Amino acid sequence: LRKSGKCLGGGSQVPSSPVRGASRGRGRSGLPPGGGCNGLLSGVRGVWAPRLTPLLLPPAARGAGASMNLERVPNEEKLNLCRKYYLGGFALLPFLWLVNVLWFCREAFLAPAYTEQPQIKSYVQRSALGLLFWVVVLTTWVTIFQTHRARWGELGDYLSFTIPLGIP
């Protein structure tokens, strides 16, 4: 994630050698093990890809470990993040509802009471209902498609990514 010699995302740039692999500690790509931008890039089998997890976390949760620890996040920010994941699920992204339920279930139902908790609880419950709806809809569609695809003839073939060989 470098542009014009700068690292994007707030990391400081680690200088790289103009000759690939010329200095000690550099991999085949010529970048240092951290990726050249303080770990904003991560190497997977020689492919450098952006590590977006720290960018998706709220500012209070970003830090040395950059793991999601809701105990360190202020209650207003928890509510804001929970609301964002709830609304994001309506953009045909039901996995955001799953993340919302998994991350905030403990905050909504097991944590000591605080002012934002009823709203977080409602977002978690609605996310669970939306997730359940999507699971039912997708399971029904997959079952119908798998059992009736051959009977649909040409339409079934158009809807298939791969057409299985053999007798239907």
Side-chain angles (χ1 to χ4, degrees):
L1 290 176
R2 285 189 208 165
K3 188 174 184 179
S4 318
K6 292 183 178 179
C7 283
L8 303 177
S12 63
Q13 185 174 353
V14 176
S16 61
S17 171
V19 179
R20 296 179 67 120
S23 68
R24 197 168 72 132
R26 297 188 188 277
R28 291 190 318 197
S29 67
L31 292 173
C37 291
N38 279 350
L40 287 177
L41 299 177
S42 60
V44 179
R45 296 183 187 232
V47 177
W48 295 96
R51 190 182 324 151
L52 298 176
T53 305
L55 301 176
L56 298 176
L57 297 177
R62 294 181 204 151
S67 63
M68 189 62 183
N69 185 357
L70 290 175
E71 294 172 357
R72 295 190 289 171
V73 179
N75 293 336
E76 299 84 25
E77 203 163 335
K78 290 178 195 177
L79 177 62
N80 189 25
L81 186 61
C82 188
R83 181 184 302 122
K84 285 179 183 177
Y85 279 106
Y86 171 69
L87 295 175
F90 286 107
L92 300 179
L93 301 170
F95 65 89
L96 288 180
W97 284 332
L98 174 65
V99 169
N100 207 16
V101 169
L102 294 177
W103 273 0
F104 291 101
C105 189
R106 187 172 291 138
E107 282 294 319
F109 300 105
L110 302 177
Y114 54 92
T115 57
E116 291 86 1
Q117 190 177 25
Q119 290 174 301
I120 290 176
K121 185 184 283 190
S122 71
Y123 286 132
V124 170
Q125 289 171 339
R126 292 180 201 168
S127 295
L129 284 174
L131 179 64
L132 180 66
F133 171 77
W134 271 99
V135 167
V136 168
V137 167
L138 290 176
T139 303
T140 303
W141 166 247
V142 167
T143 304
I144 290 171
F145 183 75
Q146 291 294 324
T147 57
H148 293 83
R149 184 201 63 80
R151 288 187 226 157
W152 293 345
E154 203 171 309
L155 175 64
D157 290 342
Y158 284 130
L159 292 175
S160 296
F161 182 72
T162 58
I163 300 171
L165 301 175
I167 300 172

